[in-house]
Amino acid sequence: MSIQVFGLPVSRGVAIGRAVLVASSRVDVAHYYVEAAMIDAEVRRLGAARDLVVQELTALKGDVPEDAHDELVALLDVHLMLLQDDSLSEATRQWIVERHYNAEWALSSQLEVIARQFDEMEDEYLRDRKADLEQVVERVITALGRLGGDSFDNPPPQGQRDFAGEDPLVLVANDIAPADMLKFRRSVFTGFVTDVGGRNSHTAIVARSMDIPAVVGAREASRIVTQDDWIIIDGDAGVVIVNPSPIVLEEYRFRQRQVELERARLDRLRHTPAVTLDGHPIELLANIELPSDAQAVLDAGAVGVGLFRSEFLFMNRAGRLPGEEEQYEAYSKVVKALAGLPVTIRTVDIGADKQLDRTPQQMERVDHNLNPALGLRAIRWSLSEPEMFGEQLRAILRASVHGKVRLLVPMVAQLREVRLLIEAIERAKAQLRARAQAYVDVAIGAMIEVPAAALMLPSLLKYFDFVSIGTNDLIQYTLAIDRADEAVSHLYDPWHPAVLRLIAQTIAKAQELGKEVSVCGEMAGDPAFTELLLGMGLRSFSMHPTQVSSIKKRILRVDSSVWNKHIDLICEADDPQVTYGRLQTAVPGHVGG
């Protein structure tokens, strides 16, 4: 039977494929594909982990005191029985052999299948045995961790789709943390569905940047969908169709082909210079997360990297942060690949919804922070960790000898912090000179993400060479909205008059003071804002590589001088979006999307 699940549309397009559920186990589970030659070894690893748990439980059973309650021994017997049940052991083996899942993923997938069967049982006692099953699976997953294995940080090449069979795959989960999104972005998934999240949650932003259809806030999706169900993700309407009929399936496959044709047309603009109708050249830069993204920048026709989010180098590392040499190699790889094109490296922006793996002691410190979006994050965190910050600054400075590097600092708001920043940079330079290691004096920029920074821009620009407007956080902090909080995410509004006025004022003031200004947040890659930003005088946009061609297409059809005349009218309106919409039908400098 076909079922429709409704959520929030956050990334356009259509994805069709087999559902892969990420289990909500209390134990972290790695998800990666196993090389064909390693299948037997992975099956043996699963068996060894099971045998290890059997030994542990048998030993526990032997140590039970004679006066212990009989139910304790009975419980251990139940766990031992579950470990050797074919519905768990043999079926898990099939996930490894047929789908090339690693043992942990296979085990958690089979847990989802069996847990559904327990939920449907009428007998309350039998339903309650699901908890025993979960405990057994978690024991085996923990044992697998002790035995070791591959890491998702080193997944098979992108092209090896045959690992999962011929069918495309879509990911279904309760939620996907930013660190997990970093893993999954390099996998074979063609779409995402989550139970929770808002239009501007990190999951939504990453899905858009990957140009992958996604629906978030779909509530019970991960409970309704079962492993291997065929599902359709309609990223335009925010609908997930489970087990669609043949007619519906064919209709959506037709829509997929139309999207692919449009992408092919956009690809032809790749090497066309981005110039407005009134002759203004526009700089289209790309946002990246990892060194491996450098080739995508060149393939998209971007003219440089406007934002290298260095914090992703620090994530998924079990608390072990990258040192100076590792960072230097990562930054240098991008700079060399760009071959003279500018690379803007943002210092680590940890905090809020992007957390590092932490030790229990560090977690205790974090738990006291009731609102991480307003806590120790970005430049605040870097200044509180001078050794780590010094390593990063030295690595960035050393990479500058290989090309044009610019250093960008997130969440600037206080002149006191700016002075400490400058001191840290000078200290890093002195340390490199003492080592006789080469570096180049790089341009230093401030991210304008806090209203205070926008309002005190003239004072800030005494210390900085350029500014980059991070619209995602600027909107969040201007409107006092936690964009990761579903309860208020509907109030997150990039069209709010206060937001538009701050952006317009920042662009105008930076240009008046002779400083370069760009926008690197979500608005830069959203065609709905292209004319508006051009009218404000913006000449540098930075976005995910997949968004470059669609924004370029828009730019080629815009007369920015005409839109400039209407900026005050739009920004001063009670409802700027309505005013903007009316002008789009009347302004001659707009020739449709």
Side-chain angles (χ1 to χ4, degrees):
M1 182 180 71
S2 182
I3 302 171
Q4 289 190 346
V5 182
F6 296 89
L8 299 173
V10 295
S11 186
R12 300 182 62 182
V14 173
I16 302 172
R18 296 276 190 183
V20 174
L21 270 73
V22 176
S24 54
S25 170
R26 286 171 288 177
V27 178
D28 290 333
V29 177
H31 297 74
Y32 58 88
Y33 291 100
V34 179
E35 298 273 3
M38 298 300 294
I39 290 293
D40 289 343
E42 193 68 6
V43 171
R44 287 195 298 272
R45 192 167 79 93
L46 175 67
R50 187 195 63 182
D51 292 344
L52 182 59
V53 175
V54 168
Q55 292 172 16
E56 291 173 351
L57 292 178
T58 303
L60 282 173
K61 186 178 174 182
D63 291 339
V64 172
E66 291 185 4
D67 58 349
H69 201 286
D70 290 344
E71 286 188 2
L72 181 56
V73 175
L75 179 62
L76 291 172
D77 284 335
V78 168
H79 284 202
L80 286 166
M81 179 189 68
L82 288 170
L83 275 169
Q84 299 175 64
D85 190 298
D86 283 347
S87 65
L88 181 64
S89 58
E90 182 58 30
T92 301
R93 179 182 171 277
Q94 291 301 111
W95 287 108
I96 299 173
V97 173
E98 296 178 5
R99 298 296 290 271
H100 290 239
Y101 287 4
N102 66 298
E104 291 89 344
W105 189 0
L107 197 56
S108 62
S109 296
Q110 187 58 22
L111 170 61
E112 289 288 333
V113 172
I114 303 176
R116 299 291 178 89
Q117 296 171 0
F118 275 102
D119 288 338
E120 294 169 0
M121 292 178 179
E122 295 183 4
D123 187 283
E124 184 177 356
Y125 175 82
L126 292 176
R127 282 202 309 271
D128 289 344
R129 299 286 65 76
K130 184 176 80 168
D132 295 319
L133 174 68
E134 291 171 342
Q135 291 168 15
V136 166
V137 168
E138 287 179 7
R139 275 185 174 274
V140 179
I141 289 174
T142 301
L144 284 165
R146 297 205 300 271
L147 292 171
D150 294 329
S151 166
F152 199 101
D153 293 332
N154 296 293
Q158 178 75 23
Q160 296 186 4
R161 292 287 299 277
D162 57 316
F163 283 5
E166 294 300 317
D167 298 333
L169 303 177
V170 295
L171 185 67
V172 182
N174 177 257
D175 194 14
I176 308 172
D180 293 327
M181 286 297 291
L182 178 62
K183 300 174 187 177
F184 292 133
R185 68 193 287 279
R186 295 178 290 168
S187 69
V188 298
F189 298 115
T190 60
F192 298 99
V193 181
T194 63
D195 297 342
V196 301
R199 285 187 173 86
N200 294 285
S201 63
H202 195 84
T203 302
I205 290 172
V206 174
R208 281 195 292 272
S209 72
M210 294 166 64
D211 200 21
I212 288 180
V215 173
V216 303
R219 301 301 178 187
E220 297 295 311
S222 68
R223 293 182 61 82
I224 293 171
V225 178
T226 59
Q227 291 283 359
D228 264 5
D229 275 350
W230 275 102
I231 68 172
I232 295 170
I233 300 174
D234 186 338
D236 298 291
V239 177
V240 179
I241 304 173
V242 185
N243 294 320
S245 67
I247 295 176
V248 171
L249 193 59
E250 185 53 40
E251 177 186 342
Y252 274 96
R253 282 182 172 150
F254 174 76
R255 284 180 54 183
Q256 269 189 323
R257 291 191 292 270
Q258 294 299 107
V259 170
E260 289 166 4
L261 287 172
E262 175 60 19
R263 285 177 178 163
R265 285 193 289 267
L266 288 174
D267 280 344
R268 292 198 288 269
L269 296 175
R270 194 181 337 176
H271 301 299
T272 302
V275 182
T276 62
L277 289 175
D278 53 326
H280 289 287
I282 306 301
E283 183 180 54
L284 294 183
L285 303 166
N287 300 340
I288 65 171
E289 285 86 36
L290 294 170
S292 55
D293 297 333
Q295 188 57 48
V297 176
L298 300 173
D299 293 342
V303 296
V305 172
L307 178 63
F308 183 165
R309 297 184 174 101
S310 67
E311 58 270 14
F312 284 92
L313 297 174
F314 289 68
M315 301 170 81
N316 298 321
R317 301 178 61 93
R320 183 185 63 84
L321 302 183
E324 179 181 334
E325 288 302 317
E326 184 179 345
Q327 290 186 65
Y328 164 70
E329 292 295 333
Y331 304 143
S332 297
K333 182 177 179 180
V334 176
V335 176
K336 291 175 182 177
L338 270 289
L341 295 176
V343 177
T344 302
I345 303 172
R346 182 174 71 185
T347 59
V348 61
D349 186 8
I350 288 299
D353 61 347
K354 290 177 288 185
Q355 298 289 345
L356 297 179
D357 301 323
R358 299 175 187 268
T359 64
Q361 292 78 13
Q362 290 171 322
M363 282 306 300
E364 184 177 350
R365 179 184 176 189
V366 172
D367 287 342
H368 291 303
N369 188 350
L370 298 180
N371 192 334
L374 299 178
L376 192 65
R377 60 165 298 195
I379 186 58
R380 301 171 182 175
W381 186 76
S382 293
L383 291 174
S384 75
E385 300 281 351
E387 184 177 349
M388 179 285 303
F389 196 35
E391 290 180 341
Q392 179 167 44
L393 292 175
R394 292 192 298 273
I396 293 171
L397 288 168
R398 289 171 59 193
S400 67
V401 301
H402 301 297
K404 186 177 180 181
V405 172
R406 309 199 310 170
L407 189 152
L408 182 61
V409 184
M411 206 176 173
V412 172
Q414 309 257 2
L415 286 178
R416 178 165 52 86
E417 290 176 333
V418 173
R419 295 187 186 103
L420 290 173
L421 164 70
I422 299 302
E423 289 175 10
I425 294 172
E426 291 305 316
R427 187 161 51 249
K429 291 179 179 178
Q431 290 164 344
L432 291 177
R433 288 194 297 270
R435 296 183 193 168
Q437 289 180 305
Y439 70 88
V440 174
D441 284 324
V442 300
I444 304 171
M447 284 200 74
I448 306 302
E449 304 171 279
V450 181
L455 295 171
M456 62 181 291
L457 196 60
S459 298
L460 286 177
L461 288 181
K462 295 174 185 176
Y463 299 89
F464 292 102
D465 302 301
F466 67 97
V467 294
S468 185
I469 305 172
T471 55
N472 304 343
D473 274 335
L474 183 61
I475 297 165
Q476 169 172 258
Y477 292 127
T478 301
L479 303 181
I481 300 297
D482 184 347
R483 56 192 170 100
D485 186 341
E486 283 186 87
V488 294
S489 62
H490 64 286
L491 298 174
Y492 181 96
D493 181 14
W495 287 100
H496 193 286
V499 172
L500 297 185
R501 291 170 199 173
L502 282 174
I503 294 172
Q505 290 169 17
T506 300
I507 293 171
K509 182 57 67 174
Q511 291 176 340
E512 178 186 323
L513 296 172
K515 305 286 186 173
E516 295 179 31
V517 57
S518 67
V519 169
C520 63
E522 280 286 284
M523 289 173 68
D526 188 343
F529 292 96
T530 304
E531 288 95 339
L532 187 67
L533 293 172
L534 289 170
M536 290 177 179
L538 187 69
R539 298 294 179 261
S540 180
F541 296 64
S542 190
M543 65 206 72
H544 192 273
T546 59
Q547 299 166 328
V548 170
S549 292
S550 60
I551 296 301
K552 184 182 291 187
K553 175 185 175 183
R554 198 88 174 193
I555 288 169
L556 294 171
R557 301 179 175 195
V558 175
D559 186 330
S560 63
S561 64
V562 174
W563 278 98
N564 179 256
K565 299 173 184 175
H566 299 284
I567 290 302
D568 289 342
L569 175 64
I570 295 170
C571 291
E572 296 299 325
D574 291 339
D575 191 335
Q577 188 172 12
V578 171
T579 302
Y580 177 70
R582 290 171 181 162
L583 287 169
Q584 280 191 305
T585 61
V587 172
H590 173 74
V591 194

